[in-house]
Amino acid sequence: MGKPKILIKNLYEILQSKKFDCIRWTDNGRAFIIIDPEEFQKSIMPEYFYSTQIKSLYRQLNSYGFKMRSLEINQKMFSHKWFIQGNISSLYKVERQRTRSIAHLDKEKDSIVIIREEMKQLKEELETLQSQQNSILKQIRIHSIIQTYICKNIKKICDEQKKFNLEREQERRLVIYFTSMFEIFKGFQFEIASQIITELKDIGGPQTPQFSPMIFPYM
């Protein structure tokens, strides 16, 4: 059986002596309460501990794995599975948790790095999606303008057809014209449309943008 650390040994002896009113065991003996931290710091710490500050003791107990709970009027309750009233033989098992704490901190650092990398990747994906959305909206606006021009020209042709009796050559040209219109609606081809409708030359025609997730243009 190993020997308990000096801090643990002194703390246990203080509690077992029952000489001080500022610290005591809980009723079940599985924890202890520092009832008056100021009195404990003044009367006990200079004699039994290297440090004279109560907060330093709290930090040391935490490094040994004690769980602290705040009670009323600045009282603190501490518990450890191997620090039990009447069980002196298990005190040597109360050890500093520095090795495990460092490993835990390293694990947390690794997790933070991973989260940052994931956030960076998500940000880049969001920016790409925004670029794609802007490209799609631009293409939709272009298509709307094109359809407006097409509808106006079809109406113009229909109106002209009602006024005149078309010759065979004119009929042939009209068939070509409407056939080209259908081709445009199936999948817009800017070169064909620009020859039919002069205004489309100023628009520039839909093209597949670099960030577009789909092949443009289609009606």
Side-chain angles (χ1 to χ4, degrees):
M1 183 177 68
K3 294 182 179 180
K5 299 295 186 291
I6 295 177
L7 182 143
I8 303 301
K9 178 176 177 294
N10 288 347
L11 184 61
Y12 185 83
E13 290 177 351
I14 291 168
L15 285 161
Q16 289 295 94
S17 69
K18 300 180 180 180
K19 293 192 302 182
F20 303 98
D21 296 332
C22 57
I23 184 172
R24 66 173 178 82
W25 290 105
T26 57
D27 293 340
N28 60 12
R30 303 190 69 86
F32 66 92
I33 301 173
I34 298 180
I35 301 171
D36 188 342
E38 292 185 4
E39 180 63 26
F40 185 93
Q41 178 176 282
K42 179 181 177 181
S43 304
I44 299 177
M45 293 198 66
E47 182 177 353
Y48 291 91
F49 301 99
Y50 293 117
S51 175
T52 58
Q53 298 297 316
I54 188 71
K55 290 183 178 180
S56 176
L57 177 66
Y58 293 165
R59 286 193 294 270
Q60 290 185 69
L61 292 176
N62 179 68
S63 70
Y64 277 96
F66 279 83
K67 295 179 180 179
M68 184 179 74
R69 179 183 172 187
S70 296
L71 304 178
E72 59 182 10
I73 318 176
N74 295 327
Q75 295 180 359
K76 305 289 185 182
M77 183 172 70
F78 294 88
S79 61
H80 192 289
K81 64 179 179 179
W82 301 120
F83 194 86
I84 302 171
Q85 184 179 18
N87 193 4
I88 192 172
S89 61
S90 66
L91 293 182
Y92 78 96
K93 295 181 180 181
V94 182
E95 297 180 335
R96 286 186 179 275
Q97 306 297 303
R98 187 174 65 176
T99 302
R100 290 199 309 181
S101 297
I102 292 175
H104 181 68
L105 288 173
D106 290 340
K107 186 176 180 181
E108 285 187 348
K109 289 180 180 178
D110 291 339
S111 299
I112 291 172
V113 171
I114 292 172
I115 291 172
R116 286 178 177 173
E117 289 295 327
E118 291 178 349
M119 290 180 65
K120 181 180 178 181
Q121 183 177 353
L122 288 172
K123 183 180 178 181
E124 291 175 354
E125 291 177 357
L126 178 61
E127 290 175 351
T128 300
L129 289 173
Q130 288 174 338
S131 297
Q132 291 177 349
Q133 183 184 37
N134 292 334
S135 297
I136 292 172
L137 291 174
K138 182 178 179 181
Q139 294 299 317
I140 290 174
R141 286 194 294 269
I142 292 175
H143 273 287
S144 298
I145 296 171
I146 290 170
Q147 290 184 42
T148 301
Y149 282 131
I150 289 173
C151 292
K152 287 181 178 179
N153 279 269
I154 290 176
K155 184 178 183 302
K156 181 179 179 181
I157 292 172
C158 292
D159 292 340
E160 291 295 326
Q161 184 181 7
K162 293 177 182 179
K163 296 179 181 179
F164 304 100
N165 293 322
L166 298 177
E167 297 179 359
R168 182 164 304 215
E169 179 62 22
Q170 290 174 320
E171 289 180 359
R172 188 183 69 81
R173 291 180 180 178
L174 190 61
V175 170
I176 294 174
Y177 187 93
F178 278 103
T179 302
S180 299
M181 286 294 181
F182 289 131
E183 290 297 326
I184 292 172
F185 278 108
K186 288 179 182 178
F188 177 68
Q189 299 181 33
F190 174 67
E191 292 182 358
I192 296 176
S194 62
Q195 294 174 6
I196 300 171
I197 306 173
T198 307
E199 291 89 338
L200 293 180
K201 292 182 180 180
D202 298 328
I203 300 175
Q207 297 176 353
T208 303
Q210 182 180 358
F211 296 104
S212 176
M214 62 185 71
I215 299 177
F216 263 95
Y218 284 102
M219 299 302 220

